[in-house]
Amino acid sequence: MPESFKTKLRRWALNFIPAYRGTGGWVTYISDDYTEVHVRLPLSWRTRNYVGTIYGGSMYGAVDPVYMIMLIKLLGHDYVVWDKAATIRFRRPGRTTLRAKFFIDPSEVEAIKEELRGRKSVNRVYTVELLDDAGKVHAQVEKTLYVARRERAGGKDASAKTGAGVAAS
């Protein structure tokens, strides 16, 4: 599926957020429906560690926010999505550009919504691999995401009561 003008703008904006830019990673593709995202992490002066390979922190940082952002976009404003936990397994040193492809099937989104009809929250686990051009895995990241229906109190987001949101005046 091609990128839309809107997802191209979102990609550009994400790449220039200072915290994400600092990872050295680049979002290179966001599908129009947000079900697929591609990330590239080059070996460069910004990502090179003392021994000449990509920093493990750059590997993790480049993939860290992606699944959360995808689910936020796919589920919409009626749901809360937060990162809950993550693990990274380093398989081999990154000596060249690495790439990651993220995919969330639309049936997964429907399954989350269905499960939340009978529960307050659910945890979902997603895995992404950082691969070189030959297809060799250099790192595997497992993300656990918390998903809940957004609670509404008097027409306002319930998070406004706790200070986590902004109350309308």
Side-chain angles (χ1 to χ4, degrees):
M1 172 177 283
E3 282 186 300
S4 66
F5 181 73
K6 189 175 181 179
T7 58
K8 284 180 185 180
L9 285 177
R10 175 74 62 186
R11 175 174 49 90
W12 184 86
L14 181 60
N15 283 328
F16 286 97
I17 293 172
Y20 189 74
R21 188 176 172 121
T23 70
W26 285 93
V27 176
T28 59
Y29 171 80
I30 301 174
S31 66
D32 183 45
D33 62 357
Y34 287 92
T35 58
E36 188 173 350
V37 174
H38 300 177
V39 170
R40 177 176 52 87
L41 179 62
L43 176 63
S44 69
W45 67 271
R46 293 178 57 215
T47 61
R48 187 181 317 270
N49 64 19
Y50 185 75
V51 295
T53 62
I54 297 176
Y55 278 107
S58 289
M59 288 183 190
Y60 176 73
V63 301
D64 175 33
V66 178
Y67 275 124
M68 185 179 83
I69 292 169
M70 290 173 74
L71 272 182
I72 287 169
K73 289 298 199 177
L74 290 166
L75 290 167
H77 295 294
D78 291 336
Y79 297 86
V80 176
V81 181
W82 287 101
D83 281 326
K84 189 170 185 177
T87 59
I88 186 167
R89 288 186 170 77
F90 299 105
R91 303 292 188 199
R92 58 180 44 91
R95 292 188 169 95
T96 183
T97 296
L98 302 178
R99 300 179 196 291
K101 289 185 180 182
F102 301 79
F103 183 75
I104 297 177
D105 192 283
S107 65
E108 166 71 359
V109 176
E110 292 309 313
I112 291 170
K113 289 179 178 181
E114 181 63 33
E115 195 170 341
L116 285 172
R117 286 186 182 98
R119 299 178 64 184
K120 182 178 177 180
S121 66
V122 296
N123 291 326
R124 285 296 208 246
V125 179
Y126 300 97
T127 302
V128 66
E129 296 175 329
L130 284 153
L131 308 166
D132 62 18
D133 288 339
K136 292 182 181 174
V137 177
H138 289 259
Q140 183 179 38
V141 178
E142 186 177 88
K143 300 281 297 189
T144 302
L145 297 169
Y146 164 90
V147 183
R149 277 187 108 5
R150 187 174 302 276
E151 295 180 23
R152 304 276 179 185
K156 295 181 184 173
D157 185 342
S159 62
K161 293 191 276 186
T162 63
V166 178
S169 16

